[in-house]
PDB file of all heavy atoms in Angstrom:
ATOM      1  N   LEU A  73     -45.706  -1.654  19.357  1.00  0.00           N
ATOM      2  CA  LEU A  73     -45.581  -2.947  20.022  1.00  0.00           C
ATOM      3  C   LEU A  73     -46.853  -3.777  19.888  1.00  0.00           C
ATOM      4  O   LEU A  73     -46.930  -4.874  20.439  1.00  0.00           O
ATOM      5  CB  LEU A  73     -45.253  -2.744  21.506  1.00  0.00           C
ATOM      6  CG  LEU A  73     -43.979  -1.945  21.792  1.00  0.00           C
ATOM      7  CD1 LEU A  73     -43.758  -1.842  23.293  1.00  0.00           C
ATOM      8  CD2 LEU A  73     -42.769  -2.559  21.106  1.00  0.00           C
ATOM      9  N   LEU A  74     -47.833  -3.248  19.133  1.00  0.00           N
ATOM     10  CA  LEU A  74     -49.096  -3.959  18.967  1.00  0.00           C
ATOM     11  C   LEU A  74     -49.379  -4.380  17.536  1.00  0.00           C
ATOM     12  O   LEU A  74     -50.074  -5.378  17.301  1.00  0.00           O
ATOM     13  CB  LEU A  74     -50.260  -3.089  19.465  1.00  0.00           C
ATOM     14  CG  LEU A  74     -50.333  -2.829  20.965  1.00  0.00           C
ATOM     15  CD1 LEU A  74     -51.578  -2.015  21.294  1.00  0.00           C
ATOM     16  CD2 LEU A  74     -50.327  -4.124  21.750  1.00  0.00           C
ATOM     17  N   ARG A  75     -48.878  -3.646  16.563  1.00  0.00           N
ATOM     18  CA  ARG A  75     -49.136  -4.005  15.169  1.00  0.00           C
ATOM     19  C   ARG A  75     -48.062  -3.425  14.263  1.00  0.00           C
ATOM     20  O   ARG A  75     -47.833  -2.220  14.246  1.00  0.00           O
ATOM     21  CB  ARG A  75     -50.510  -3.487  14.718  1.00  0.00           C
ATOM     22  CG  ARG A  75     -50.862  -3.887  13.291  1.00  0.00           C
ATOM     23  CD  ARG A  75     -52.112  -3.201  12.780  1.00  0.00           C
ATOM     24  NE  ARG A  75     -52.375  -3.567  11.395  1.00  0.00           N
ATOM     25  CZ  ARG A  75     -53.192  -2.899  10.589  1.00  0.00           C
ATOM     26  NH1 ARG A  75     -53.860  -1.838  11.040  1.00  0.00           N
ATOM     27  NH2 ARG A  75     -53.372  -3.288   9.350  1.00  0.00           N
ATOM     28  N   GLY A  76     -47.388  -4.294  13.526  1.00  0.00           N
ATOM     29  CA  GLY A  76     -46.494  -3.835  12.475  1.00  0.00           C
ATOM     30  C   GLY A  76     -45.087  -3.513  12.885  1.00  0.00           C
ATOM     31  O   GLY A  76     -44.242  -3.243  12.028  1.00  0.00           O
ATOM     32  N   GLY A  77     -44.785  -3.512  14.211  1.00  0.00           N
ATOM     33  CA  GLY A  77     -43.421  -3.238  14.637  1.00  0.00           C
ATOM     34  C   GLY A  77     -42.950  -1.876  14.182  1.00  0.00           C
ATOM     35  O   GLY A  77     -43.596  -0.851  14.423  1.00  0.00           O
ATOM     36  N   GLN A  78     -41.781  -1.833  13.496  1.00  0.00           N
ATOM     37  CA  GLN A  78     -41.302  -0.562  12.941  1.00  0.00           C
ATOM     38  C   GLN A  78     -42.225  -0.179  11.790  1.00  0.00           C
ATOM     39  O   GLN A  78     -42.282  -0.837  10.757  1.00  0.00           O
ATOM     40  CB  GLN A  78     -39.855  -0.669  12.460  1.00  0.00           C
ATOM     41  CG  GLN A  78     -39.312   0.671  12.030  1.00  0.00           C
ATOM     42  CD  GLN A  78     -37.795   0.716  11.961  1.00  0.00           C
ATOM     43  OE1 GLN A  78     -37.254   1.303  11.038  1.00  0.00           O
ATOM     44  NE2 GLN A  78     -37.106   0.116  12.916  1.00  0.00           N
ATOM     45  N   LEU A  79     -42.969   0.903  12.010  1.00  0.00           N
ATOM     46  CA  LEU A  79     -44.082   1.240  11.138  1.00  0.00           C
ATOM     47  C   LEU A  79     -43.605   1.781   9.786  1.00  0.00           C
ATOM     48  O   LEU A  79     -42.631   2.533   9.705  1.00  0.00           O
ATOM     49  CB  LEU A  79     -44.988   2.263  11.810  1.00  0.00           C
ATOM     50  CG  LEU A  79     -45.699   1.779  13.079  1.00  0.00           C
ATOM     51  CD1 LEU A  79     -46.567   2.890  13.663  1.00  0.00           C
ATOM     52  CD2 LEU A  79     -46.543   0.540  12.802  1.00  0.00           C
ATOM     53  N   ALA A  80     -44.350   1.391   8.766  1.00  0.00           N
ATOM     54  CA  ALA A  80     -44.096   1.897   7.418  1.00  0.00           C
ATOM     55  C   ALA A  80     -44.739   3.264   7.248  1.00  0.00           C
ATOM     56  O   ALA A  80     -45.757   3.572   7.878  1.00  0.00           O
ATOM     57  CB  ALA A  80     -44.647   0.920   6.387  1.00  0.00           C
ATOM     58  N   GLY A  81     -44.158   4.061   6.399  1.00  0.00           N
ATOM     59  CA  GLY A  81     -44.703   5.374   6.086  1.00  0.00           C
ATOM     60  C   GLY A  81     -43.613   6.304   5.604  1.00  0.00           C
ATOM     61  O   GLY A  81     -42.450   6.182   6.013  1.00  0.00           O
ATOM     62  N   PRO A  82     -43.939   7.233   4.720  1.00  0.00           N
ATOM     63  CA  PRO A  82     -42.930   8.140   4.185  1.00  0.00           C
ATOM     64  C   PRO A  82     -42.484   9.177   5.212  1.00  0.00           C
ATOM     65  O   PRO A  82     -43.248   9.566   6.095  1.00  0.00           O
ATOM     66  CB  PRO A  82     -43.652   8.810   3.012  1.00  0.00           C
ATOM     67  CG  PRO A  82     -45.109   8.755   3.400  1.00  0.00           C
ATOM     68  CD  PRO A  82     -45.283   7.473   4.147  1.00  0.00           C
ATOM     69  N   VAL A  83     -41.236   9.607   5.093  1.00  0.00           N
ATOM     70  CA  VAL A  83     -40.700  10.717   5.880  1.00  0.00           C
ATOM     71  C   VAL A  83     -40.344  11.826   4.907  1.00  0.00           C
ATOM     72  O   VAL A  83     -39.528  11.632   3.990  1.00  0.00           O
ATOM     73  CB  VAL A  83     -39.469  10.291   6.690  1.00  0.00           C
ATOM     74  CG1 VAL A  83     -38.900  11.487   7.457  1.00  0.00           C
ATOM     75  CG2 VAL A  83     -39.823   9.169   7.662  1.00  0.00           C
ATOM     76  N   THR A  84     -40.976  12.972   5.084  1.00  0.00           N
ATOM     77  CA  THR A  84     -40.753  14.102   4.189  1.00  0.00           C
ATOM     78  C   THR A  84     -40.021  15.217   4.929  1.00  0.00           C
ATOM     79  O   THR A  84     -40.052  15.288   6.171  1.00  0.00           O
ATOM     80  CB  THR A  84     -42.081  14.621   3.632  1.00  0.00           C
ATOM     81  OG1 THR A  84     -42.945  14.989   4.720  1.00  0.00           O
ATOM     82  CG2 THR A  84     -42.770  13.545   2.799  1.00  0.00           C
TER      83      THR A  84
END
Side-chain angles (χ1 to χ4, degrees):
L73 302 181
L74 292 183
R75 183 189 177 197
Q78 186 162 139
L79 295 180
V83 178
T84 57

